[in-house]
Amino acid sequence: MANKEILLVADVFANEKEIDKEIIFQAIESALEAATVKRYENPVKVRVAVNRQTGDYLTYRRWQVVDANPEINGDVEHPGWQILLEAAQLDNPEVQVGDYVEEEIESVAFCRIAAQTAKQVIIQKVREAERKKIVEAYQDRVGELVTGVVKRLEKGSVYLDLGGHVEAYIAREDMIPKEPVRMGDRVRGYLKAVRSEPRGPQLFVSRTAPELLIALFRLEVPEVGEGLIDILAAARDPGSRAKIAVRANDPRLDPVGACVGMRGSRVQAISNELAGERVDIILWNANDAQFVINAMSPAEIQSIVVDEDKHSMDVAVATDSLSQAIGRGGQNVRLATELTGWELNILDAAQVGKNHDEAAAKAKQQFMDLLDVDEEIAGILVDVGLNNVEEIAYIPVDEMLEIEGFDEELVEALRSRAKDALLISAIASEEKIETAEPSPELLVMEGMSEELAREMAAKGIVTLDDLAEQAIDDIIEFTGMTEERAGKLIMKARESWFAEDKG
């Protein structure tokens, strides 16, 4: 009778839970083992083997083979389930450390697993198998849209029922802020991760990921789903505003119009899905500056200065468009930065123009004074982007000759005068340093001698602040003093800084 009950339990659980019958047999074996162990006062190890065809089962007590433990007089630490190698090899010379020695013992009756402890073993095994099955079913679906019914709410987090006893989890930070969600609502999300964990959620969904926006456009706009239009980037301020960059693979297609839809129907459907999030559709451009101009829409850009090294752009807009370009709380420029990948600095075009005019006038006057040229030539040099004498001294001759109206004689004269001006400036700087007098505060500073103060002044270290800004290695290099003394002098000079901070 017991044999048939085992087979019946295996059939029922396997069919109801759609789980491999082998897992159920293993659960029954674990339950029988747990029930058998309870018969002993001291800890033991047992193994139960169930015949998968007949339901018959045998029980074995087990001892693990170990080496003698010198800390306990060569005995075993757990006599209930360990045996010395020497003793085990009396019956089986081939047995090794780590193997098990078994002895058949009386089996417990199967009906005894009706006890709560035994039942829990089977239930736990079944749950583990179910969770493993869910992971296997969904691990290839990461990056897809999933739809579920709100099953429960916990402190801002949401649990979705995806059907078939499958549950997904949306953390509070992955929910759109202030989005009203109630029990029973149907909610879409982006499956961002599947993790095999013994407890807690396994499917992790996001409502805030930019990928969700892209997936919704792929679903709502056939041209995107068919690959006629590419969405190259997306940036979101969840629930408020978003930007996507689109490109058509067919020149006859208008990618922006296709994504907007007739009377805005397509983009409006997506906005409704995202709790009213307003979506700007931006035309992608291979030219980074033009792409930034498009991304800053609806603000109108007057000029852009690109810094390739810092991967940033200074974007100048009209004064009356500054607030629109920046957006509420910096939203517009923040989304444009995220969308384009460039660090964008928004500037007032009027102020930029004023600064540029002032810099140009200063450079123009410098060229007239140092190069002995008239206003016209100085103006030309500024117009072609030359800002200082050093640039003129070292710019390639070929580039100078490309300037309209400049011949070899004029270029050579300008370069020669520029180099002379730099040399005179360098000599003047050295003479200034050589004749520099140390400040009274530096002379009377504790630990300072007049000779050392004058040596420092010759290197341009004239005041306490000059000394305070030095590094120890710099002082050691030209004075030859010890590291300890140099450190003390610098710290002494910095005392005034600390005093100002306290004040």
Side-chain angles (χ1 to χ4, degrees):
M1 187 66 178
N3 303 355
K4 291 182 179 179
E5 288 179 1
I6 287 178
L7 296 177
L8 180 62
V9 168
D11 285 335
V12 169
F13 269 99
N15 292 331
E16 283 187 359
K17 304 294 184 180
E18 297 181 358
I19 293 173
D20 186 357
K21 194 181 292 186
E22 175 61 26
I23 293 174
I24 307 302
F25 277 121
Q26 292 174 6
I28 292 172
E29 288 173 340
S30 296
L32 289 167
E33 289 166 4
T36 303
V37 167
K38 286 186 176 182
R39 298 191 307 184
Y40 295 84
E41 292 183 5
N42 298 316
V44 297
K45 289 188 182 293
V46 298
R47 180 175 70 87
V48 174
V50 176
N51 186 301
R52 276 40 172 173
Q53 279 71 45
T54 65
D56 293 335
Y57 59 93
L58 298 173
T59 304
Y60 302 90
R61 184 172 173 183
R62 316 183 83 198
W63 289 268
Q64 187 178 27
V65 180
V66 297
D67 281 325
N69 190 334
E71 295 182 3
I72 50 176
N73 300 321
D75 207 343
V76 295
E77 186 176 356
H78 304 286
W81 52 272
Q82 289 180 330
I83 185 173
L84 289 174
L85 176 62
E86 293 80 359
Q89 287 181 335
L90 293 175
D91 293 325
N92 181 4
E94 296 182 2
V95 74
Q96 300 293 325
V97 171
D99 293 343
Y100 280 91
V101 173
E102 296 185 334
E103 177 184 293
E104 186 177 344
I105 59 175
E106 182 184 356
S107 299
V108 296
F110 180 60
C111 61
R112 291 185 61 185
I113 69 166
Q116 188 63 27
T117 304
K119 283 182 180 178
Q120 288 302 318
V121 175
I122 295 178
I123 292 170
Q124 184 60 33
K125 285 283 186 181
V126 170
R127 284 177 179 168
E128 289 174 2
E130 286 179 330
R131 292 173 70 80
K132 183 179 179 182
K133 184 179 177 183
I134 290 171
V135 169
E136 290 174 349
Y138 280 85
Q139 62 187 359
D140 293 331
R141 295 184 58 186
V142 172
E144 294 183 9
L145 279 179
V146 293
T147 304
V149 176
V150 177
K151 187 175 180 181
R152 67 181 188 275
L153 305 170
E154 288 184 7
K155 298 179 181 178
S157 300
V158 175
Y159 287 85
L160 296 180
D161 182 358
L162 302 185
H165 304 290
V166 179
E167 190 176 81
Y169 174 71
I170 308 179
R172 182 177 182 177
E173 59 269 21
D174 287 315
M175 287 294 295
I176 295 174
K178 299 179 182 178
E179 180 182 17
V181 177
R182 298 178 297 275
M183 296 283 289
D185 286 353
R186 291 188 67 81
V187 174
R188 269 200 187 118
Y190 172 80
L191 184 60
K192 66 175 186 177
V194 176
R195 295 199 288 270
S196 180
E197 298 179 358
R199 286 177 169 240
Q202 294 174 292
L203 308 184
F204 297 86
V205 172
S206 175
R207 294 268 298 155
T208 60
E211 292 86 355
L212 173 60
L213 184 61
I214 295 172
L216 288 173
F217 269 98
R218 192 174 291 118
L219 187 68
E220 191 69 34
V221 182
E223 293 87 345
V224 176
E226 294 168 6
L228 298 175
I229 294 174
D230 291 333
I231 298 179
L232 299 176
R236 294 180 63 191
D237 189 350
S240 176
R241 192 174 175 189
K243 291 177 183 282
I244 64 166
V246 298
R247 176 186 65 187
N249 293 319
D250 186 334
R252 294 170 297 177
L253 268 178
D254 171 17
V256 175
C259 290
V260 171
M262 187 72 70
R263 296 180 182 175
S265 58
R266 290 174 173 176
V267 73
Q268 187 58 49
I270 292 170
S271 179
N272 294 340
E273 176 67 41
L274 299 176
E277 190 171 310
R278 186 160 62 92
V279 184
D280 297 335
I281 301 168
I282 308 300
L283 186 62
W284 181 85
N285 196 292
N287 182 293
D288 289 327
Q290 185 59 52
F291 183 29
V292 165
I293 291 173
N294 297 346
M296 287 298 296
S297 172
E300 292 188 11
I301 310 304
Q302 294 198 358
S303 68
I304 286 183
V305 177
V306 180
D307 187 332
E308 294 281 359
D309 294 333
K310 294 181 179 178
H311 202 67
S312 66
M313 295 190 191
D314 291 339
V315 183
V317 299
T319 304
D320 56 2
S321 298
L322 266 177
S323 58
Q324 186 182 43
I326 296 170
R328 183 180 301 174
Q331 185 187 68
N332 191 54
V333 67
R334 186 171 64 251
L335 289 175
T337 293
E338 187 178 338
L339 187 75
T340 62
W342 286 82
E343 185 65 35
L344 305 180
N345 306 310
I346 307 303
L347 306 173
D348 184 339
Q351 187 61 45
V352 170
K354 181 180 177 182
N355 293 344
H356 179 269
D357 291 344
E358 290 177 355
K362 185 177 179 182
K364 189 174 178 181
Q365 189 61 49
Q366 184 187 57
F367 292 153
M368 292 170 65
D369 294 341
L370 299 180
L371 303 181
D372 191 24
V373 295
D374 59 26
E375 187 175 351
E376 182 182 357
I377 292 179
I380 293 173
L381 292 172
V382 171
D383 290 342
V384 297
L386 296 169
N387 299 309
N388 54 62
V389 174
E390 188 174 5
E391 290 181 354
I392 295 175
Y394 297 107
I395 190 173
V397 174
D398 293 344
E399 291 186 26
M400 288 282 282
L401 288 172
E402 290 177 4
I403 300 173
E404 187 176 352
F406 279 33
D407 55 24
E408 290 186 12
E409 184 180 352
L410 176 58
V411 168
E412 189 56 43
L414 289 173
R415 283 166 56 86
S416 177
R417 293 175 191 176
K419 290 177 181 178
D420 289 344
L422 290 176
L423 181 59
I424 292 169
S425 176
I427 293 171
S429 296
E430 285 186 16
E431 289 177 348
K432 184 178 179 180
I433 291 175
E434 288 174 1
T435 59
E437 286 289 324
S439 67
E441 294 83 2
L442 189 68
L443 279 168
V444 301
M445 189 186 83
E446 184 181 334
M448 180 66 68
S449 65
E450 183 176 351
E451 182 183 359
L452 179 59
R454 293 193 178 283
E455 187 178 359
M456 287 186 174
K459 293 294 184 180
I461 304 171
V462 176
T463 66
L464 284 178
D465 282 344
D466 291 339
L467 177 55
E469 291 172 355
Q470 302 303 309
I472 292 175
D473 290 344
D474 295 334
I475 300 296
I476 293 173
E477 185 177 348
F478 71 84
T479 64
M481 68 175 61
T482 64
E483 183 176 335
E484 182 181 2
R485 187 185 178 195
K488 285 181 178 179
L489 285 172
I490 292 171
M491 292 308 297
K492 190 67 180 175
R494 291 177 181 175
E495 283 182 0
S496 60
W497 293 1
F498 303 140
E500 287 174 8
D501 291 342
K502 289 179 182 178

